[in-house]
Amino acid sequence: MVRRTFTGKVVNLAISCVMATGLAACGSGSNQAQPAAEAPKTEAAAGTGASADTKKEAWQIEWEKTVEAAKQEGEVVVFGLPTNREGVMEEFEKAFPGIKVKYSGMNPTQMTTKILAEQQQNKFLVDITLENAAVPSENIQDNIILPDVKDDKNWNYGYEAGYKMAQGDYKGQFAFSAIAYPYVYINNDMIPEGEIKSLEDLLDPKWSGKIIAGDFSYVSSTMEMLNAMSFAIGKDFVDKLVDQQKMAVNPESRLATEQFATGKYPIGIGINNEILRDYRNQGVVSKVTKLQPEKSPYLLSFTTAIVKNPPHPNAAKVFMNWFLSKEGQTHYVNYVKEFISRRSDAPRSPYEDIRSWDKIDYQNSSFEPEPLGNRAHMIELGKKALKSQ
């Protein structure tokens, strides 16, 4: 079984998660998850000796040797977000008996801080990070063996786009998943559905003092949401939304979501999706709509990495190839539910409000150079908003 240790709080890098989260075959309108694909074949083809090997392609020989070496290592150490990832780890263990997963759940900032502190002490204890840890990494491209993973047709925007989206602190990593931004939640128990028709309507003076946001004084889901709005509508719009509309900011994700769900603030930005679903299931709030453009212009991307000098290099390579395969991404979507995979052959989220690729007119990603320009402004705006509370 998966061994799990959890530290930190649930953070919406939804991020909620992290720009969080929903998955579709490209252009698919179906809400039904597809059945899991067979695990990548790890056993040798029939026959033994050199004559059998000559019938195999080079990648098959390399793959089988890597899997056997990984079994000798016996485990792979993975850091990821705190919720709904354990099932993915268990599916990996089923696919590769003999390789156990040691999984720890924490937010990306905690992952980054912990790994960097350990590496400064010359300790290399982690193999894999999921979802945006800014740590020194091996180049994933050098560790991909399976042709299924390298095939352009299996990825929205192509295989290489995964490396293009992972720039800056994420160089060498691979963007495998995303969530469509921007959007705002409306509590329809308090505000009738349809009364707010567009994001621009949020500047109506009657909504002043009625907006709650998560903390955006650092790189967070709320910061990315406002960054996405700045590209969709304009930086001036965000400035007015924060200052003119007297936006409330609560650095505690659960409390911010609670204040939205209970109606204290009926408009929510950067609200934790998973916590909000719990409140909806409990009847705290009965009707919520997601206000967003007709087509989403911005993706919050999520990257995965093989950490520099992994303690289990072969197990790390096996895990990464499996995780980026159709099977791995299918399990990721079915367990996590909140994000969309870049794989075009993976299922979509069972949640109807999670946008699939047919509702995305992609222009920007949080890991491409242009969108990074407004991040600093949003963070300074967040610091100012916190001080004014």
Side-chain angles (χ1 to χ4, degrees), residues 228-247:
M229 287 183 192
S230 76
F231 280 92
I233 305 173
K235 190 166 66 173
D236 288 345
F237 168 81
V238 178
D239 290 346
K240 292 176 182 177
L241 191 65
V242 176
D243 295 330
Q244 176 181 301
Q245 297 301 79
K246 298 180 175 58
M247 180 188 291

Side-chain angles (χ1 to χ4, degrees), residues 7-12 81-83 105-108 110 251-253 272:
T7 61
K9 303 171 184 176
V10 177
V11 172
N12 178 11
L81 293 182
T83 56
M106 60 190 77
N107 70 54
Q110 290 168 328
E252 293 294 332
S253 181
N272 186 294

Side-chain angles (χ1 to χ4, degrees), residues 334-354:
N334 287 342
Y335 282 102
V336 175
K337 299 183 176 68
E338 298 289 347
F339 305 150
I340 55 175
S341 172
R342 284 208 316 109
R343 281 203 67 119
S344 58
D345 53 2
R348 66 160 296 161
S349 168
Y351 299 142
E352 292 184 2
D353 63 310
I354 299 298

Side-chain angles (χ1 to χ4, degrees), residues 114-188:
K114 182 174 176 57
I115 291 171
L116 291 180
E118 290 173 348
Q119 290 187 349
Q120 287 174 357
Q121 300 175 46
N122 206 32
K123 296 178 181 178
F124 298 90
L125 308 177
V126 181
D127 295 297
I128 299 284
T129 60
L130 305 180
E131 299 140 334
N132 301 354
V135 296
S137 307
E138 302 290 330
N139 192 332
I140 287 181
Q141 204 159 11
D142 297 335
N143 288 274
I144 299 302
I145 300 172
L146 300 178
D148 164 81
V149 176
K150 298 178 182 180
D151 193 336
D152 268 351
K153 75 175 185 298
N154 293 334
W155 297 94
N156 288 289
Y157 307 112
Y159 168 67
E160 293 293 336
Y163 300 105
K164 181 184 177 184
M165 288 182 180
Q167 298 189 19
D169 290 338
Y170 301 88
K171 188 176 181 180
Q173 303 190 19
F174 186 85
F176 67 94
S177 180
I179 187 167
Y181 275 13
Y183 61 83
V184 174
Y185 280 124
I186 308 296
N187 183 334
N188 297 129

Side-chain angles (χ1 to χ4, degrees), residues 23-24 29 50 54 67 72 83 102 117 132 193 245 247 251 258 282 300 327 357 364:
L23 179 41
T54 58
V67 171
Q72 293 299 313
T83 56
K102 185 177 180 181
N132 301 354
E193 187 172 0
Q245 297 301 79
M247 180 188 291
E258 179 183 319
Q282 295 164 18
L300 174 61
E327 180 190 1
W357 292 98
N364 296 291

Side-chain angles (χ1 to χ4, degrees), residues 2-27:
V2 180
R3 286 172 284 164
R4 319 172 190 49
T5 57
F6 297 95
T7 61
K9 303 171 184 176
V10 177
V11 172
N12 178 11
L13 268 170
I15 295 172
S16 317
C17 65
V18 57
M19 212 250 316
T21 311
L23 179 41
C26 188

